[in-house]
Amino acid sequence: MRFTKQEFKWIIFGLAIKFLLFCYLLLIFHLNYSNKQIVNEIFVFSKDYQNYVIPIENLINKGSLYQMIGDYKAYAYKMPSFLFSYGPLYYFFGREIALAGIVIFNLLLDFGIIIFTALLSKEIFNDSTILKLTLILVALNGFISFNNYYALTETPSAFCVVSSLYFFLKGINSNKYFLLLSGFILTWGIFLKPVLGLLIPLFILIGFFVYGKQLKKKFYRSEEHTSELQSPDHL
């Protein structure tokens, strides 16, 4: 299903709203945090950031994934969720650029959430009004965007949920290879935030529901075709 020109304009509008929200929240942070708490103008230190970042730095610097808790080394204290994004940036450019890079990475994923929300709405409802309302609600949602400035997993995990559900439905409705992509993305989402594993039963139920509707349609079409062949006009 392709977007109409009007729907495409609304997607651009949603992306613009999300970027303006990003700038607005950044301004709020600058008004409420000291310069020591902000890195390269965009990354904001939080209490939980080190639980995600420090194990990756230790892995690169010392070859072991751990987090110091007092005098105790807690191995894999937090899942290395940003290993493939923060890791290379930290290795080549150092902590400051890497932390700022995480914010840019989160912003791009936030844009991705807008795009996949539109695709998902189109796939499920195929209704322009619902698509517009959904885009506005997601674009104005500041809870996920608020976490873009920290080294946290809210934005990446939300992206994984929306994109994996879209590819899951595409896999059932068209190309089955999309199911593999959906599975990979959802697995990475669980790697980011283990609680997302609770979505697996939901995906299975959705799969049975959608596939059941497809079988029902095929059955009715077969019945109609059989009735036409048995009608007096075909005898």
Side-chain angles (χ1 to χ4, degrees), residues 30 42 119 181 187 201 211 219 231:
H30 274 275
I42 56 175
L119 290 168
L181 181 57
T187 300
Y211 192 64
F219 175 77
S231 65

Side-chain angles (χ1 to χ4, degrees), residues 1 7 21 36 98 119 135 146 149 151 155 177 187 192 228:
M1 298 180 185
E7 289 171 342
L21 181 61
K36 292 182 179 180
L119 290 168
L135 281 175
F146 183 82
Y149 308 90
T155 301
Y177 289 105
T187 300
L192 290 165
E228 289 177 2

Side-chain angles (χ1 to χ4, degrees), residues 51-61 63-66 76 78-92 98 102 105-106 151-153 156 188 191-192:
N51 297 330
Y52 295 93
V53 167
I54 299 299
I56 298 173
E57 293 182 359
N58 287 335
L59 178 64
I60 293 173
N61 295 330
S64 183
L65 186 71
Y66 66 89
K78 284 284 187 179
M79 300 185 75
S81 50
F82 287 118
L83 179 60
F84 297 106
S85 55
Y86 180 77
L89 289 172
Y90 174 75
Y91 181 81
F92 288 107
I102 284 292
F105 179 67
N106 281 346
L152 302 177
T153 59
W188 184 250
F191 187 61
L192 290 165

Side-chain angles (χ1 to χ4, degrees), residues 21-36:
L21 181 61
F22 175 86
C23 295
Y24 171 74
L25 291 174
L26 185 60
L27 176 62
I28 296 298
F29 282 127
H30 274 275
L31 292 175
N32 291 278
Y33 285 83
S34 67
N35 292 333
K36 292 182 179 180

